[in-house]
Amino acid sequence: MASILRTSAPRAIRTTLLSSRRTPALPILQTRLQSHDTRNPPRGNPPIANRPPPDAPREEAGALRNNSKSGSYLGTTKRLPEFNLNDKVVLVTGAARGLGLVQAEALLEAGATVYALDRMPEPSADFYRVQKRAAEELGTTLHYRQIDVRDVPGLNEVVKSISDSQGKLDGLIAAAGIQQETPALEYTAKDANLMFEVNVTGVFMTAQAVAKEMIRWKRGGSIAMIASMSGAVANKGLICPAYNASKAAVMQLARNFASEWGHYGIRVNTISPGYIKTAMVEALFEQYPERKRDWPTQNMLGKLSVPQQYRGAAVFLISDASSFMTAADLRIDGGHSAW
């Protein structure tokens, strides 16, 4: 279950990453899309095409001689260089906060230039911490673009403008989504359509826009879409029929995209998280204390996950470390759905 889970009373929809409000017409939208970077231009370094992984630090030689310090400088020419993303441009939707932002920071640490896309007019306070760290510590850049993935013309415009400005597009993590907890007998068509419009069509159109740019530049690329363990199981005690169906659809979309785009060198996979302990889930536990007690017992590790435990999955799927992996689902649920 992705970290966007929020619920209170039945039928109460929670759009944590995407607004239900329609976006303005394109001329206004194009101006607004650039407002964040115009007012607060991110500092950092642009990517350089075909830049190789960095050499291992000089300290490594001394560390290896006497074993006094760790010598495992990952992502350098000597240590797993296939994990290095120093010349990659990657988009992450739903990255103004939460799981999407955590994954964006991991990509930045691996060297990527990252564009965060989200419906929020301004990203969270933590976003600025990550943006500052990217510029001052990591030697790369974190950008922000405001967009609702249901606005397909605006979405296409944003993706193309990023691609044009960078001269390439290498990766996508589609993490935007919404959640609603309502019994199937009480669901309205309006609520169901909104769920599928955001979680399925929004993911579809985002992947399509990115794939078109990857094909245009003839460089291939990697797309990772956030599904959920709930795409494979019906969660005991959590009534989310439309959400679960939407995540199953994301997994099937990935298989079909992979089969269509593989000959372009584009890989498409999904990440299926289990229950994630976030501030929103903690608030949920106040309303349903039995879930705080029961959920950890429903997996083989006896605990809930945290967003940071999905960092490695993001880097792995976007990087060349997974270069022979496509049409696959990386399920990270503590064994919940294997029981």
Side-chain angles (χ1 to χ4, degrees):
M1 182 71 66
S3 64
I4 56 174
L5 175 62
R6 293 179 68 185
T7 181
S8 54
R11 306 181 65 80
I13 190 132
R14 301 300 188 201
T15 57
T16 62
L17 295 177
L18 295 166
S19 172
S20 61
R21 185 175 60 187
R22 297 293 180 182
T23 52
L26 258 182
I28 299 174
L29 177 67
Q30 290 172 345
T31 301
R32 183 169 58 83
L33 289 172
Q34 308 301 325
S35 61
H36 177 270
D37 278 3
T38 299
R39 297 195 308 277
N40 304 288
R43 295 171 295 164
N45 298 301
I48 299 174
N50 302 316
R51 181 171 58 181
D55 293 330
R58 288 192 300 271
E59 294 88 341
E60 181 180 32
L64 292 176
R65 278 198 301 271
N66 57 27
N67 201 34
S68 61
K69 296 181 180 179
S70 171
S72 58
Y73 296 94
L74 298 183
T76 69
T77 51
K78 293 184 178 181
R79 305 289 179 158
L80 293 174
E82 60 269 32
F83 280 95
N84 194 281
L85 300 175
N86 61 49
D87 65 340
K88 305 295 185 184
V89 177
V90 184
L91 309 188
V92 184
T93 63
R97 59 184 176 183
L99 179 63
L101 179 58
V102 168
Q103 293 185 317
E105 185 171 17
L107 296 170
L108 290 162
E109 289 182 15
T113 295
V114 178
Y115 283 80
L117 278 58
D118 204 295
R119 63 95 184 171
M120 296 173 62
E122 289 289 334
S124 66
D126 199 37
F127 178 93
Y128 294 102
R129 175 194 64 80
V130 177
Q131 190 176 59
K132 184 173 185 289
R133 182 174 180 238
E136 297 180 359
E137 298 179 24
L138 305 177
T140 184
T141 313
L142 174 61
H143 302 264
Y144 187 76
R145 296 290 184 271
Q146 182 193 6
I147 188 64
D148 186 322
V149 296
R150 293 171 299 158
D151 174 23
V152 178
L155 177 66
N156 289 333
E157 178 71 20
V158 168
V159 172
K160 189 176 186 303
S161 69
I162 294 171
S163 177
D164 286 341
S165 68
Q166 296 289 350
K168 59 181 177 177
L169 200 53
D170 301 295
L172 164 69
I173 294 184
I178 61 172
Q179 166 67 306
Q180 179 176 341
E181 184 174 359
T182 300
L185 290 175
E186 299 177 17
Y187 238 104
T188 66
K190 180 180 178 181
D191 285 354
N193 287 338
L194 176 60
M195 180 69 64
F196 299 135
E197 186 179 12
V198 173
N199 289 8
V200 182
T201 306
V203 170
F204 194 145
M205 294 296 101
T206 305
Q208 180 192 78
V210 169
K212 286 180 178 179
E213 295 305 306
M214 291 176 173
I215 293 169
R216 177 161 74 101
W217 295 112
K218 300 180 180 179
R219 291 172 49 92
S222 179
I223 295 173
M225 307 188 301
I226 304 301
S228 171
M229 69 175 183
S230 302
V233 298
N235 303 69
K236 184 177 181 180
L238 187 63
I239 311 302
C240 302
Y243 175 85
N244 292 5
S246 74
K247 292 304 181 178
V250 168
M251 295 164 69
Q252 184 67 338
L253 280 177
R255 299 183 191 106
N256 283 271
F257 292 162
S259 70
E260 290 189 38
W261 302 338
H263 66 281
Y264 294 113
I266 299 172
R267 301 182 295 106
V268 187
N269 296 286
T270 54
I271 300 173
S272 286
Y275 290 126
I276 304 177
K277 188 177 180 181
T278 65
M280 289 182 285
V281 171
E282 289 285 8
L284 178 70
F285 288 159
E286 293 181 7
Q287 185 175 0
Y288 301 103
E290 70 279 4
R291 294 181 181 180
K292 185 174 184 178
R293 178 196 67 223
D294 295 342
W295 280 5
T297 69
Q298 295 173 5
N299 68 63
M300 298 174 183
L301 298 179
K303 59 184 180 181
L304 302 182
S305 68
V306 295
Q308 288 72 20
Q309 290 177 296
Y310 302 87
R311 287 163 38 89
V315 174
F316 170 67
L317 289 180
I318 296 299
S319 74
D320 289 340
S322 59
S323 60
F324 197 59
M325 181 177 178
T326 197
D329 178 55
L330 191 56
R331 193 176 301 169
I332 309 173
D333 67 352
H336 181 115
S337 53
W339 244 340

